[in-house]
Amino acid sequence: MNLNEKKPVKRPLIFYYLIVFVVLILLNILVVPAMRERSILETTYSDFLDSIENKEVKEVELEDSVIYYTVEKDGEIVICKTGRIADINLVDRLNESGAEFAQEIPTQQSPLISFLVSWLMPIAIFIVLGQWLSKKMMKGMGGTGAMAFGKSNAKIYVKSSTGIKFSDVAGEDEAKELLKEIVDYLHNPQLYREIGASLPKGALLVGPPGTGKTLLAKAVAGEANVPFFSISGSEFVEMFVGMGAAKVRDLFKQANEKAPCIVFIDEIDTIGKKRDGQISGNDEREQTLNQLLTEMDGFDSSKGVVILAATNRPDSLDPALLRPGRFDRRIPVELPDLQGREEILKVHAKKIKIADNVNFHEIAKAASGASGAELANIVNEAALRAVRDGRKFATQMDLEESIEVVIAGYQKKSRVLSNKEKLIVSYHEIGHALVAAKQTESAPVHKITIIPRTSGALGYTMQVEEKEHFLMTKEEMENKIATLTGGRAAEEIVFQSITTGASNDIEQATKLARGMITQYGMSDEFDMVAMETVSNQYLGGDSSLACSFETQTKVDKKVVELVKKQHEKAKQILQDNIGKLHELAKYLYDHETITGEEFMEILNRKEEPLSLEKKEE
Ligand code: ADP
Ligand code: MG
Ligand code: ZN
């Protein structure tokens, strides 16, 4: 194991030293000799003879083919070099001139200096340069530079740096409660220790996207006076096996040094996925996960390292991660309810200029099912809209319009429907609305428009529930299916032909009908037997059939039966109210938008007969 863990860290360093070594050799071969030679003056033989005549030569060294000698010039000793020529009188002449015969004239610099120049200085330069470079790389590339392999690049948040507090997170009271406890523990550990309670080592925030999991973790960082390490699961994913594991090890080493502290791993499902039995598994990911498991076991929570993690795919996590002693506490962060939505809207509305009379309750009611992120987006869209229209602050209208923008896409101004198409869409949408209104268990119509949206919808019927409810009765579900088929039913009744406009309705109706039969036990035939299992509940919920082929065939038949029955019902409702259908469709055709009140007013007033031919003029 030791070998395994050192290798990926050392290899780049060895490369680095190799490069230094090669450069040094080159330097010694090319540069240093040149430097050495420069201090020796090359002279001609006659120069040498002249120097002897003038008795300038101090020392001389005779070699086989060269002569080194020193002369004094302007009080400085200069080493000279010249070729040796067969000259018998040379020794006598030198003797005469008083030159001294030297064993060896130091033609080279002292060995110490030359060693310093040729070896130590370059090494020193390289070390300084290398340090500087690696520092730069660590900054520039987030720590993945040559010197930083295997280092975790967790950001450390300290108290003031995020500035996000629990008060910035609206709703999500249970989650906040649980997290507050953790913060409290880190501030007063002795209080908990006296009783003998130990805090969970890890807490896992689970919930659909955009519900504020990351935000909550940042709020913990903002509230706690302890260091906060934040890292995303994807940052552990590396190309080389063992690298991710090294990062995990480094992260926990840092955390242990800084304890008490909080470690936050966002999107943990990227590394925490179930290990499957396949032989050709993902080695790197498994090693990283194994390292994480080991590290979580390795420290004791009394030291005060708390691990938070967030995911929207809890069911894909490895069971080993979830067992007690690791992430033993699960903090659900669900989609906000009505009150939660209202609070979230208010929190975000503080950031923009907004009219005093805005009714957030109404907005929250209309934005049913929206996540925190979508609500934040709605408020921002409202502000944008206000600017576009040249207003100084956002109004209720802006907010209402931006709900539709966020949920149904932008109004598409450029797409122009032909009159015939517009008429069909009018009837289609009124068909939905009328069926909804004529059934007792349906949510009232809030607004209908036939302005095309970027999402591709040509028209849009918005129903808003009076109160929130969490249970749906069988009747409500059936009525919903009937409402969904109402658009197509209106087309059939009025035009005796059908269009592609109902594709989305069909999809939704089928999904509902399937759910009724396979998941909610709402058919007589199958009683309370589940025909489908649902996975990935926070990400839309993929379902897979869990029954025999024969039963599947039966289920399909039942689904068709159910939808067909509701479709017939919708047609019947429209037939019974054909006058109102024409009247409302004409109104929508003319105005393009109709509010809930207008709709109800027209629906409840005395019928005035109106024919299709008249409208088409
Ligand atoms: P996720 O759950 O996917 O991690 P985030 O925490 O990233 O979601 O939330 C995205 C954004 O949505 C936040 O930055 C914040 O502006 C907004 N938001 C989500 N939930 C809330 C909430 N409960 N209160 C206030 N704002 C929220
Ligand atoms: Mg997130
Ligand atoms: Zn429709």
Side-chain angles (χ1 to χ4, degrees):
M1 165 153 177
N2 223 329
L3 240 158
N4 208 352
E5 79 186 30
K6 280 274 148 54
K7 226 178 172 178
V9 187
K10 281 283 167 183
R11 195 165 56 183
L13 270 185
I14 285 173
F15 280 137
Y16 182 74
Y17 286 130
L18 211 77
I19 290 172
V20 171
F21 188 71
V22 168
V23 171
L24 272 180
I25 298 281
L26 283 178
L27 210 77
N28 268 295
I29 292 173
L30 298 176
V31 182
V32 175
M35 247 166 61
R36 241 188 252 148
E37 296 284 316
R38 227 188 312 162
S39 58
I40 295 177
L41 195 68
E42 286 207 37
T43 54
T44 61
Y45 198 71
S46 41
D47 282 340
F48 175 52
L49 292 182
D50 286 348
S51 298
I52 295 172
E53 287 288 277
N54 302 339
K55 298 195 170 23
E56 284 170 352
V57 175
K58 296 252 158 226
E59 279 182 318
V60 66
E61 179 195 342
L62 300 175
E63 286 190 6
D64 287 345
S65 57
V66 274
I67 301 170
Y68 291 106
Y69 64 97
T70 58
V71 291
E72 196 173 335
K73 256 188 202 157
D74 311 328
E76 235 181 277
I77 305 279
V78 179
I79 301 172
C80 299
K81 175 187 170 191
T82 189
R84 186 166 183 179
I85 292 172
D87 184 348
I88 319 157
N89 299 329
L90 179 63
V91 177
D92 296 340
R93 242 184 288 166
L94 278 168
N95 252 336
E96 260 169 48
S97 75
E100 232 174 86
F101 288 92
Q103 192 62 209
E104 194 185 335
I105 290 178
T107 55
Q108 296 174 358
Q109 278 154 338
S110 86
L112 185 69
I113 289 181
S114 85
F115 173 72
L116 280 181
V117 167
S118 59
W119 290 100
L120 278 190
M121 209 167 73
I123 288 178
I125 289 173
F126 268 103
I127 287 177
V128 170
L129 206 76
Q131 295 256 309
W132 178 72
L133 263 181
S134 78
K135 232 181 248 167
K136 227 175 109 116
M137 258 189 288
M138 261 200 267
K139 256 188 222 154
M141 307 183 2
T144 46
M147 298 289 276
F149 271 129
K151 283 237 192 276
S152 87
N153 32 13
K155 289 170 275 215
I156 302 182
Y157 288 113
V158 223
K159 195 188 169 216
S160 57
S161 65
T162 63
I164 294 171
K165 298 272 169 164
F166 279 136
S167 56
D168 292 314
V169 188
E172 310 300 351
D173 290 328
E174 299 93 0
K176 275 200 280 191
E177 203 62 45
L178 288 163
L179 289 170
K180 267 182 192 153
E181 194 185 316
I182 289 173
V183 172
D184 190 48
Y185 171 82
L186 290 173
H187 287 171
N188 309 298
Q190 74 283 354
L191 224 75
Y192 289 78
R193 244 176 258 151
E194 269 165 25
I195 285 193
S198 72
L199 209 74
K201 272 187 188 174
L204 189 63
L205 297 160
V206 294
T211 45
K213 299 182 293 296
T214 309
L215 190 72
L216 271 167
K218 283 187 186 159
V220 172
E223 297 275 346
N225 284 316
V226 296
F228 184 86
F229 296 88
S230 165
I231 191 164
S232 168
S234 61
E235 284 173 62
F236 290 117
V237 179
E238 288 282 351
M239 194 139 61
F240 304 110
V241 173
M243 216 76 106
K247 276 190 176 178
V248 172
R249 210 173 313 114
D250 185 67
L251 173 67
F252 279 86
K253 205 176 120 221
Q254 281 189 51
N256 261 323
E257 281 162 10
K258 291 261 160 55
C261 68
I262 298 168
V263 176
F264 175 56
I265 305 175
D266 208 353
E267 315 290 352
I268 196 172
D269 45 290
T270 38
I271 49 168
K273 251 187 237 139
K274 270 194 198 95
R275 288 162 292 187
D276 41 21
Q278 285 172 8
I279 301 166
S280 62
N282 185 335
D283 278 348
E284 161 61 2
R285 211 189 60 217
E286 284 190 10
Q287 272 207 23
T288 311
L289 174 58
N290 282 335
Q291 189 64 41
L292 183 65
L293 296 176
T294 317
E295 293 290 346
M296 287 195 74
D297 285 341
F299 65 87
D300 68 308
S301 54
S302 64
K303 247 190 125 178
V305 181
V306 175
I307 301 163
L308 295 181
T311 179
N312 39 35
R313 311 183 53 185
D315 43 356
S316 77
L317 288 182
D318 197 281
L321 261 182
L322 301 172
R323 77 145 172 75
R326 288 177 185 142
F327 289 111
D328 43 8
R329 190 173 281 195
R330 212 184 242 240
I331 302 179
V333 187
E334 299 286 354
L335 286 174
D337 56 7
L338 180 59
Q339 203 194 335
R341 287 200 299 275
E342 196 177 331
E343 281 167 27
I344 293 173
L345 282 171
K346 279 182 185 157
V347 163
H348 286 280
K350 277 192 203 126
K351 296 176 196 158
I352 66 166
K353 288 211 176 91
I354 198 157
D356 300 330
N357 59 356
V358 168
N359 187 340
F360 287 107
H361 188 75
E362 281 301 312
I363 308 293
K365 237 164 91 176
S368 151
S371 68
E374 278 167 330
L375 291 168
N377 198 1
I378 285 171
V379 173
N380 191 48
E381 281 291 340
L384 290 178
R385 208 180 108 96
V387 175
R388 228 180 291 139
D389 294 359
R391 255 172 284 120
K392 286 264 177 271
F393 49 84
T395 62
Q396 179 95 12
M397 258 298 291
D398 291 326
L399 281 166
E400 274 178 17
E401 173 64 20
S402 48
I403 294 174
E404 291 168 51
V405 167
V406 171
I407 294 173
Y410 279 98
Q411 281 188 13
K412 205 161 193 176
K413 296 260 160 64
S414 59
R415 185 189 282 184
V416 183
L417 292 183
S418 73
N419 284 349
K420 173 81 176 170
E421 279 173 335
K422 209 168 131 187
L423 193 68
I424 295 175
V425 176
S426 303
Y427 272 100
H428 180 104
E429 296 305 330
I430 293 296
H432 286 306
L434 201 55
V435 172
K438 286 291 169 188
Q439 292 174 129
T440 42
E441 300 291 334
S442 286
V445 173
H446 183 75
K447 185 176 176 181
I448 310 167
T449 67
I450 52 167
I451 300 164
R453 304 270 158 179
T454 43
S455 68
L458 298 177
Y460 175 60
T461 303
M462 194 168 162
Q463 285 173 271
V464 175
E465 305 274 355
E466 290 280 74
K467 282 183 277 119
E468 271 208 309
H469 58 219
F470 303 98
L471 286 176
M472 253 179 130
T473 62
K474 188 179 171 192
E475 287 67 39
E476 279 169 328
M477 290 193 88
E478 284 175 350
N479 287 353
K480 204 160 177 185
I481 296 173
T483 304
L484 285 166
T485 59
R488 167 64 67 85
E491 290 178 35
E492 285 170 304
I493 291 172
V494 179
F495 302 100
Q496 278 86 44
S497 77
I498 50 183
T499 66
T500 54
S503 60
N504 190 3
D505 303 333
I506 292 171
E507 193 184 321
Q508 284 190 45
T510 312
K511 206 167 164 188
L512 269 175
R514 269 205 107 72
M516 283 177 72
I517 290 162
T518 58
Q519 286 172 32
Y520 307 122
M522 286 180 178
S523 65
D524 320 320
E525 186 159 351
F526 302 121
D527 204 53
M528 285 182 62
V529 176
M531 303 293 162
E532 254 173 19
T533 50
V534 178
S535 53
N536 250 344
Q537 54 161 328
Y538 289 121
L539 296 175
D542 309 328
S543 50
S544 46
L545 279 172
C547 55
S548 67
F549 286 121
E550 294 87 73
T551 321
Q552 275 181 36
T553 320
K554 273 192 213 159
V555 167
D556 290 339
K557 240 193 218 135
K558 280 266 163 205
V559 171
V560 175
E561 242 169 60
L562 182 59
V563 175
K564 225 174 186 164
K565 190 169 156 216
Q566 296 311 315
H567 189 174
E568 287 305 321
K569 186 168 106 190
K571 272 205 256 189
Q572 195 53 52
I573 290 173
L574 293 180
Q575 290 283 15
D576 295 346
N577 297 279
I578 189 84
K580 285 292 171 199
L581 177 64
H582 287 314
E583 196 180 342
L584 283 161
K586 172 163 172 40
Y587 187 93
L588 183 60
Y589 179 84
D590 291 339
H591 293 79
E592 296 199 341
T593 306
I594 180 169
T595 64
E597 288 93 65
E598 287 169 332
F599 178 85
M600 289 317 288
E601 199 234 283
I602 297 172
L603 189 63
N604 292 333
R605 76 180 172 210
K606 244 189 104 243
E607 203 160 315
E608 40 184 279
L610 221 139
S611 77
L612 181 64
E613 284 74 40
K614 236 168 119 188
K615 274 200 315 292
E616 266 194 309
E617 278 157 19

